[in-house]
Amino acid sequence: MFPAGNGGTIELVYTQTYAPTTLAPARDFWTLRYTTSLENGSLVVCERSLSGSGSGPNAVAAAQFVRAEMLPSGYLIRPCEGGGSIIHIVDHLNLEACSVPEVLRPLYESSKVVAQKMTIAALRYIRQIAQETSGEVVYGLGQQPAVLRTFSQRLSRGFNDAVNGFNDDGWTVLNCDGAEDVIIAVNSTKNLSGTSNPASSLTFLGGILCAKASMLLQNVPPAVLVRFLREHRSEWADFNVDAYAAASLKAGSYAYPGMRPTRFTGSQIIMPLGHTIEHEEMLEVIRLEGHSLAQEDAFASRDIHLLQICSGIDENAVGACSELIFAPIDEMFPDDAPLGDKKDATTSNRTLDLTFGLEVGPATTQGAGDASSSQNTRSVLTIAFQFPFDSNLQDNVAVMARQYVRCVISSVQRVAMAISPGMNPNVGSKLSPGSPEALTLAHWICQSYSYYLGSDLLRSDSLVGDSMLKSLWHHQDAILCCSLKSLPVFIFANQAGLDMLETTLVALQDITLDKIFDKSGRKALCADFAKLMQQGYAYLPAGICMSTMGRHVSYEQAIAWKVLAAEDNTVHCLAFSFINWSFV
């Protein structure tokens, strides 16, 4: 900083900016900034790039960036009557779009995207601060706006730190040959010391491992996708992985092998903490209710609490970025929230960002505005999960993290396919609880059971509509339906069925019928299959089946029956009920 005439200042400014995806390097700027006050009381801030691609305070750190150019830009803040101000903002950038893949170029060359991510965001931030300062915005529970804003900023920064993995922040990429779809990076400098959580005043023996990936989605509005993922976490997330991260935070125990299996009850409670004025960003605490599957502590609570920010769920925003970022916290939020300064911001964070949005239209379209109404819109999805680990367990955690991110990607792809315009009517996630398809199938399942077996599956013939589906969903026996194909695939399961297979509704359709039975179970099914198709039902003896996690499940008896479509009495699928099942 240097003094200038008329009380102004001149500054040399080096700025590093985050990349929105893992598909292109981050940008940095080396600029000259001039700030001064005018005679009429206005404040002017002017800024533009200096020449020289390699210049800056730290040439080594700059080597990981692509040098972008800031053309003359700045702010003009004019006072107005009544004590307010009028603010003019000009952002004029050259982000070197030619150096990124073509599909990403609208993120770097569209004026509408720059406006949404920088200009409009700056105006909203200034307005938020002004209204908080004047007392126009009051938060419940005695929360201080500045505190909540700090939590949001640190969560966001923690995610972006992980996605970008800057070397000067301590990140090292483990696999960098370009052949892997999931990038694994390790940071051995992260620690929890200095946080306000008493249980977290320790340093990691290993550090933080991050698994991250970016992918392209077709015809999926980012706002719609993120809203669905926020409201239906069980469709894509593994509760036991959430439990691992939460346990690591509380006890400082990072042992991956032998995680105690926990049943997710399906209850997700969203507790709002605050939101910005225009509701473009929400800060909330998520409580996931769970119970141990181990008999010795079956009644012990396994609830998990996550601090989460959700933004960009306005479908009408042009060039918007939609995000879902979360991290495990102690139940005593906010006093025990594990959020330190920059170097400690992501020590225990497992963060997921879905998605860095922008609908990328046809190659001839410069901006995103026209693409939002097109059937050919594209979005870039960036995912990053972070896991603490002990140094002797780095390889184990790396394998688990890579596999988990791939599972999340697969689940999100199926969700995206289901909610996109012109979706495939056979997508299994349409059979989520509460959907019209699920209501219809529940009616067919119960009606066919009564027709063939002469009794009521739900112990009552008076249940209809939502009450029937709810009773079927919470039935104590595992009820599953599979297609009638040469290779039968599961298309629906109630909550007990999902727990038994240790899967989700979205991932269910990847599981074939033969995969869940052992050799004797497949033999029993084949022996009774002809009887099942002839008389419409069959009783299968006690046996053993297999969950998707490789665990054995015993059952006292299984009943199979044909599910008839009410309209034309044709066989729609096969249903199975596993009675008194338990993990061996």
Side-chain angles (χ1 to χ4, degrees):
M1 180 184 296
F2 307 94
N6 301 323
T9 58
I10 295 176
E11 300 167 275
L12 295 177
V13 183
Y14 175 67
T15 305
Q16 296 177 347
T17 64
Y18 290 119
T21 74
T22 62
L23 303 177
R27 268 52 180 163
D28 66 353
F29 296 88
W30 180 232
T31 58
L32 180 71
R33 179 188 296 163
Y34 175 59
T35 305
T36 189
S37 298
L38 304 182
E39 294 181 357
N40 63 1
S42 299
L43 179 67
V44 180
V45 181
C46 304
E47 191 168 358
R48 70 157 300 158
S49 283
L50 295 167
S51 61
S53 60
S55 56
N58 190 337
V60 176
Q64 197 175 356
F65 296 81
V66 170
R67 179 59 52 86
E69 181 185 8
M70 179 182 294
L71 289 83
S73 304
Y75 307 83
L76 170 62
I77 306 175
R78 297 188 301 160
C80 59
E81 295 182 3
S85 300
I86 298 176
I87 302 177
H88 305 267
I89 301 180
V90 176
D91 289 313
H92 193 186
L93 307 174
N94 178 4
L95 297 175
E96 299 295 334
C98 61
S99 65
V100 302
E102 183 178 352
V103 68
L104 295 179
R105 288 182 185 174
L107 289 172
Y108 292 81
E109 63 187 6
S110 167
S111 296
K112 294 177 180 178
V113 175
V114 172
Q116 188 73 26
K117 290 296 295 178
M118 293 184 60
T119 318
I120 296 176
L123 288 170
R124 284 174 170 169
Y125 182 81
I126 294 170
R127 182 184 174 199
Q128 182 85 21
I129 297 297
Q131 294 199 9
E132 290 175 359
T133 303
S134 65
E136 296 179 50
V137 178
V138 179
Y139 293 101
L141 303 177
Q143 299 292 344
Q144 295 296 321
V147 174
L148 299 181
R149 189 165 55 250
T150 298
F151 288 147
S152 295
Q153 291 170 348
R154 289 176 178 173
L155 270 177
S156 181
R157 187 169 59 200
F159 167 76
N160 283 295
D161 280 343
V163 169
N164 287 264
F166 296 145
N167 295 334
D168 55 351
D169 284 339
W171 288 99
T172 302
V173 176
L174 294 186
N175 60 318
C176 54
D177 57 4
E180 285 285 350
D181 54 339
V182 178
I183 300 171
I184 301 295
V186 170
N187 192 325
S188 299
T189 65
K190 299 289 184 179
N191 63 76
L192 280 175
S193 60
T195 68
S196 57
N197 189 340
S200 302
S201 56
L202 50 89
T203 58
F204 294 124
L205 298 180
I208 293 291
L209 184 143
C210 176
K212 53 190 176 181
S214 293
M215 55 182 288
L216 184 67
L217 296 176
Q218 296 278 3
N219 303 330
V220 183
V224 177
L225 176 60
V226 167
R227 187 163 58 243
F228 181 92
L229 295 170
R230 172 178 174 262
E231 296 171 358
H232 303 277
R233 187 180 185 87
S234 62
E235 293 286 344
W236 55 269
D238 188 326
F239 182 83
N240 284 305
V241 175
D242 288 326
Y244 161 74
S248 299
L249 165 67
K250 291 181 180 179
S253 172
Y254 314 116
Y256 161 64
M259 283 192 298
R260 307 194 79 170
T262 304
R263 172 181 175 177
F264 177 44
T265 66
S267 178
Q268 171 184 305
I269 301 174
I270 300 177
M271 298 172 282
L273 288 176
H275 55 77
T276 51
I277 297 171
E278 299 180 20
H279 292 259
E280 70 275 5
E281 180 179 295
M282 298 173 288
L283 179 66
E284 51 203 14
V285 171
I286 310 299
R287 189 176 79 193
L288 306 175
E289 295 184 348
H291 295 283
S292 173
L293 289 174
Q295 187 171 2
E296 63 271 16
D297 56 354
F299 297 101
S301 173
R302 290 290 184 270
D303 290 357
I304 297 170
H305 293 77
L306 306 174
L307 180 63
Q308 176 173 283
I309 56 174
C310 179
S311 63
I313 57 175
D314 179 7
E315 297 178 46
N316 298 317
V318 176
C321 162
S322 301
E323 296 179 326
L324 192 67
I325 306 176
F326 52 86
I329 58 170
D330 207 299
E331 294 88 335
M332 301 301 293
F333 176 85
D335 293 337
D336 294 335
L339 298 168
D341 58 17
K342 183 178 188 297
K343 287 297 181 182
D344 301 325
T346 59
T347 51
S348 63
N349 292 4
R350 274 177 61 272
T351 58
L352 167 68
D353 180 307
L354 298 160
T355 78
F356 183 89
L358 175 62
E359 305 84 75
V360 183
T364 56
T365 302
Q366 291 292 318
D370 296 335
S372 60
S373 59
S374 168
Q375 291 299 309
N376 296 316
T377 59
R378 295 177 290 182
S379 302
V380 179
L381 170 71
T382 300
I383 297 176
F385 284 88
Q386 299 181 67
F387 301 89
F389 68 93
D390 275 337
S391 55
N392 62 326
L393 292 173
Q394 175 177 309
D395 293 341
N396 301 65
V397 176
V399 171
M400 180 268 290
R402 182 181 287 110
Q403 180 180 359
Y404 184 57
V405 167
R406 286 173 177 164
C407 290
V408 171
I409 290 174
S410 177
S411 298
V412 172
Q413 284 177 324
R414 294 191 182 280
V415 169
M417 188 186 304
I419 65 178
S420 64
M423 60 186 173
N424 184 344
N426 296 319
V427 174
S429 57
K430 290 185 66 180
L431 293 174
S432 59
S435 67
E437 293 81 2
L439 289 170
T440 300
L441 182 58
H443 174 71
W444 292 349
I445 292 171
C446 297
Q447 189 178 58
S448 301
Y449 185 93
S450 299
Y451 176 75
Y452 285 119
L453 286 94
S455 60
D456 294 317
L457 175 64
L458 304 180
R459 308 293 189 265
S460 174
D461 60 358
S462 61
L463 297 174
V464 294
D466 288 336
S467 59
M468 174 185 289
L469 177 59
K470 184 176 181 179
S471 182
L472 180 69
W473 180 254
H474 294 291
H475 198 284
Q476 64 181 2
D477 298 331
I479 299 173
L480 304 100
C481 295
C482 69
S483 59
L484 267 177
K485 297 180 179 179
S486 57
L487 188 62
V489 176
F490 287 107
I491 61 173
F492 178 78
N494 67 349
Q495 184 62 64
L498 297 178
D499 291 340
M500 185 183 78
L501 296 183
E502 296 187 288
T503 187
T504 67
L505 274 176
V506 176
L508 186 68
Q509 58 186 321
D510 284 333
I511 307 171
T512 56
L513 178 62
D514 64 302
K515 294 295 184 182
I516 73 168
F517 288 106
D518 61 5
K519 186 175 181 180
S520 60
R522 286 193 294 270
K523 185 176 181 179
L525 178 61
C526 291
D528 289 324
F529 191 77
K531 182 192 299 184
L532 167 63
M533 299 307 296
Q534 181 178 1
Q535 70 180 21
Y537 70 96
Y539 290 95
L540 304 179
I544 299 291
C545 61
M546 191 85 67
S547 79
T548 58
M549 303 299 288
R551 292 207 290 168
H552 290 88
V553 181
S554 67
Y555 54 91
E556 291 183 4
Q557 186 184 53
I559 305 174
W561 69 98
K562 294 191 292 189
V563 176
L564 304 177
E567 292 84 357
D568 51 13
N569 214 36
T570 58
V571 180
H572 177 73
C573 62
L574 295 179
F576 293 84
S577 176
F578 294 87
I579 301 170
N580 292 335
W581 65 272
S582 62
F583 289 106
V584 178

